[in-house]
Amino acid sequence: MKLHFALGVVLASALLTGCVTGTRNVDIAPSKYTNDKTASGQVYIAVVEDKRAFEAKPASPSTPSVNGDLAKTSKDKLATLIGRQRNGYGMAMGDVALPKDQTVQTEMKALLKEGLESRGYTVTDNKNAPIKVNVDIEKFWAWFSPGMFAVSFEADLACSIAFTDTKGNQTFKVVGYGLNKGQVASDANWALAYQRALDDFLKNLDKTLDDAKL
């Protein structure tokens, strides 16, 4: 009986965590976001920088890390990483990364574009636009906590936004959080946690801009 139970635990753990070696590429996107268009003007998103702090062996899975030697990992590669896979015992394994040619900078820029344009702004590549935005990404990471019969996927976003227009400069922080409880560590379950975090970020961005009267 004990042997059967132990084998059941191992099998359940394997099914819940799925493949944990190598790199898992996950495509993420928010839901279609809508809002009352109360603003206008052209916005140029000038700079989006990845300011996340990676650690070699963090105590918490919510802290960014890399599968390999952190000191030898290029900034270009770090910019593609958005999580770590883990086995049934919670041990960090392979990386979770964005699809080819995507980075946290490109994803954050696209997210801000959606949020700003939902308010009525026009996001442009014109560097002489009257409104400029600079962004520091502080958090863009997902992790999961393995369990006996379910896995909790969590995604955390945070960035500092400097908004400059004819009235001056304002800087504010916007965050987003997503939780998804799934049965297997699939791409879809990772993506759903991120989708909820991205949606939450857009709602918080709206509230922040409302409070700032922008």
Side-chain angles (χ1 to χ4, degrees):
M1 181 65 71
K2 291 183 178 180
L3 177 60
H4 289 164
F5 177 77
L7 289 173
V9 170
V10 172
L11 179 59
S13 175
L15 290 173
L16 288 170
T17 56
C19 178
V20 295
T21 58
T23 298
R24 179 188 294 274
N25 294 99
V26 177
D27 198 1
I28 61 174
S31 303
K32 184 64 178 178
Y33 190 76
T34 59
N35 182 41
D36 294 333
K37 297 184 182 297
T38 59
S40 62
Q42 289 193 341
V43 180
Y44 174 60
I45 302 177
V47 177
V48 180
E49 293 193 21
D50 183 6
K51 296 287 189 177
R52 297 175 300 165
F54 281 76
E55 295 182 14
K57 294 182 179 179
S60 170
S62 63
T63 300
S65 62
V66 61
N67 182 26
D69 189 340
L70 177 59
K72 295 181 180 179
T73 306
S74 69
K75 288 185 177 181
D76 288 344
K77 180 177 179 179
L78 292 179
T80 70
L81 302 182
I82 58 171
R84 285 288 297 280
Q85 302 180 77
R86 291 181 179 268
N87 63 19
Y89 302 99
M91 183 181 297
M93 303 293 284
D95 296 316
V96 179
L98 291 165
K100 185 179 179 180
D101 298 328
Q102 293 182 21
T103 65
V104 293
Q105 293 97 317
T106 62
E107 294 306 290
M108 182 57 72
K109 185 174 182 178
L111 186 64
L112 289 172
K113 183 176 187 292
E114 180 167 354
L116 291 168
E117 291 190 339
S118 74
R119 296 180 66 81
Y121 289 111
T122 299
V123 176
T124 177
D125 291 329
N126 178 14
K127 296 181 179 181
N128 296 317
I131 304 172
K132 292 181 176 60
V133 170
N134 291 323
V135 183
D136 285 343
I137 301 171
E138 298 169 359
K139 294 182 180 180
F140 201 120
W141 196 252
W143 65 98
F144 78 80
S145 302
M148 180 69 73
F149 301 109
V151 177
S152 294
F153 299 81
E154 297 176 79
D156 212 1
L157 307 175
C159 68
S160 177
I161 302 174
F163 193 101
T164 304
D165 60 10
T166 56
K167 299 177 183 178
N169 178 278
Q170 296 188 61
T171 300
F172 36 79
K173 184 173 182 176
V174 181
V175 301
Y177 172 76
L179 171 65
N180 172 36
K181 291 183 181 283
Q183 295 299 315
V184 293
S186 64
D187 292 1
N189 277 325
W190 281 101
L192 183 54
Y194 260 113
Q195 183 186 82
R196 290 173 176 170
L198 296 168
D199 290 344
D200 187 50
F201 181 94
L202 289 173
K203 291 177 183 177
N204 291 332
L205 174 64
D206 252 346
K207 184 180 185 307
T208 299
L209 294 176
D210 282 342
D211 292 344
K213 303 185 185 305
L214 296 172

